[in-house]
Amino acid sequence: MADSAAPEAKTSNFLRHIVEADLAAGTHASRRWCGHPGAGPEQQAGAPDPAKIRTRFPPEPNGYLHFGHAKSILLNFGLAKDYGGVCHLRFDDTNPEKEDQEYVDAIIDAVHWLGCSWSHEAGENLYHASDYFGFMIQAAEALIGAGHAYVDSQTAEAMRTNRGTLTERGKDSPYRTRSAEENLDLFRRMQSGEFADGSHVLRARIDMAAPNMNLRDPVIYRIRKASHHRTGDRYCVYPMYTYAHPIEDALENITHSICTLEFEDQRPFYDWILERIADCGLLARPLPRQYEFSRLNLTYVVLSKRRLIQLVEEKHVDGWDDPRMPTLVGARRRGFTPEGFQLFAERIGVTKSDSLIDMSVLEDCMRETLNESAPRRIAVLDPVKLILDNVPEDHEELCEAPNHPQQPALGKRPIPFSRELWIEREDFVETPPKGYFRLFPGNLVRLRYGFVVKCSGCDKDAAGNIVAVHAELMPDSKSGTPGSDSYKVKGNIHWVSARHAYPCDVRLYDRLFAVPAPGARREGDAEGIERDFLADLNPNSKQIIAAQLEPSLKDAAPEDRFQFERHGYFVADRKDSRPGAPVFNRAVTLRDSWAANPGKGKK
Ligand code: ATP
Ligand code: MG
C-alpha cells in the first residue's frame, strides 16, 4: 500500500489486537513454507515461513469489486503490511458456472489501483482455488477412509426435510452408514461422470442433532457437469464453498482468515474440517483461524452483487464502470482516489457490530484527498458571454493563476485574457437580491486572477433571455500589479477567455439513489408491500452539460484530476477522452450539497 503510517499511528481494532497477541505468543512461529501453497508434508519440508502472518483477499470472480470489497482489501493487505506479513490475492473460483476471466482481470486491476501488492521477497502470492481441486478430492477421499464423510443418495427434497429445523433435530440419512469402501467407490464414480447432477452428494459425517445447523452433515461435494473457466471439463464434481475455503486457507499457510459476520456460524465447521484433514496427515499445524468483522453498509447505494448485476443488465446504468456505480471501476472513472478509500477505511474502522455508514463520510474522504492533490483549474459550467466594451477586439494578454493556493510550490500558470469572456450565468442578475455581490448593473466585481470590471447591463433575445452581459474594464486593476488592491470589491467571479476556451462535455454525476436505503420500507408503506429498489433510483444522477474550460485542460491526460474552482473535483474520463479532447466527470462537489438539497443534482 502507498506509504501508510506506522502501525502505532493507526487506530487499533480488535483484529490488530488479535494479531499482536499471536505475534507476542509466537502462535504461528513454527510454520514452514515451501515457497508455494502445498499440503502439510510439503510445507513441513520448507524453511521457516518468512512471512510473520498471512492474510488473504478471496474474491469470487463472478462480478466487479465494490466499495465493500475495498474495506476487506484494505483490511487484509493493511494488516499484512503492518505486521511483517503478506496478503494473498486468491481467486475463489470453485463454482464453475458464473465465473469469468474478464472479472479476474478487473479484480487484479482494482486491487493494484487501491495500492495493494501481493508480492513478497519470497514470491508472488496470486493464487486460484481451482488449482487445489486435486488436493480437495484427495482430502475428501481421506475423510471417507477415516469415516468422516459419506455419499448420500437422498433426493434434494428428502435431504432438506431430514435436516430438521432450529428447534427440531435432523434425521440421519439411510445412506449414512455406508461402508468406507462403498463410499469411496461411489465418490470415484461421481468423479468419473457416471451419475447425473444431483443424484449423489458427498457429506461430512458430523451430527444430525447439532444445534448449529451447519454441522448437520454439511454437503462437501456435488456433481456438476459444467465447464470451468480454468479447469475445463476435467472435473464432474465441485467442492462446496464451506469445504473449499478452509482448505484453501490451510494450503496457503494463512494465519488469520478474515471474513464477514455472516460466516460466524460456519466457524465450527471450518475448524472441524481442518482438524480432521490434519489428523489424516494432509495439513500442517498450526491451522488457520477464522475471524469475522462487520461488512460495510453504505447509504445511497446497493452493495449486493445480485442488485449490481441487475442495474447493469437492465441498463439502469452504463455498465459496471459507470461512474455512479459503487464499484471500484466506477469509482476510478468517477475520479475517486485510492488514498480516499484508504482514509475511509481508516476512519470507519473495523468492528463486529453492524452499522450503516453515511455516503457523505466516503465523499468527505474523497474531497480531503483531492483537495490536497488536485491542481486548480477554471471551468465555466453554465456559460454566458461577458463583453468588456472598452477592450479592443484583438486585445490579448496573459494573467497568472496559482496551481494550488495552499501549495505555492506547485507554481502558477498563464491564462489568456481577451475582450470576450465566458462567465457563469448565475454570476449576473439584473436586480440583485440582498447579499448578492456579483455582477449587476453599476457593480464592481473582480475577475479572479484578472481585472476589476464594472457591470453596465446585458443584451436579451426576443424571448427575454439574457444572451450577453456588458462591463467596463478598470485597466489599473490587474491582480498582482501595484495598486490593484486599492479596489475594494466584494464579488469575485471566475471566467475563461471565449476565444481561447476549450468547449467540452462535462458529466455531472450525483448519487445513484435518491434515498438512504434503496428498497427499504418507508413510513406509511402498507404492511407486506415489498419496495422495488429500482423505484428509488435518483432520476437526476447524471447530467451532461456543454461547458467552457480554460485552454490548458485540453491537454489533460485520462485520469488527471482537478479542482474546478468554485465547482468541485473533476477527472478526465479514462474511457471517453481522446488525445487533445478530454471529457470530464465530476467526482464530488466542493461541499456536501446533498443534505440541503437532496436529489436535485446541484449544478
Ligand atoms: P457474493 O454475494 O457473490 O458472495 P461477495 O460480495 O461476498 O458476493 P466475494 O467475491 O465472495 O463477494 O467477496 C470477497 C471478499 O470480500 C469476501 O471475503 C467478503 O467477505 C468481502 N466482502 C464482500 N462484501 C463486503 C462488504 N460489504 N464489506 C466488507 N467486506 C465484504
Ligand atoms: Mg461471498
Side-chain angles (χ1 to χ4, degrees), residues 57-60 62 66 68-69 72 260 293 295-296 305:
F57 174 65
E60 184 177 353
N62 64 352
H66 55 61
H69 294 120
S72 174
T260 44
F293 72 103
R295 62 194 296 117
L296 172 68
K305 239 180 236 172

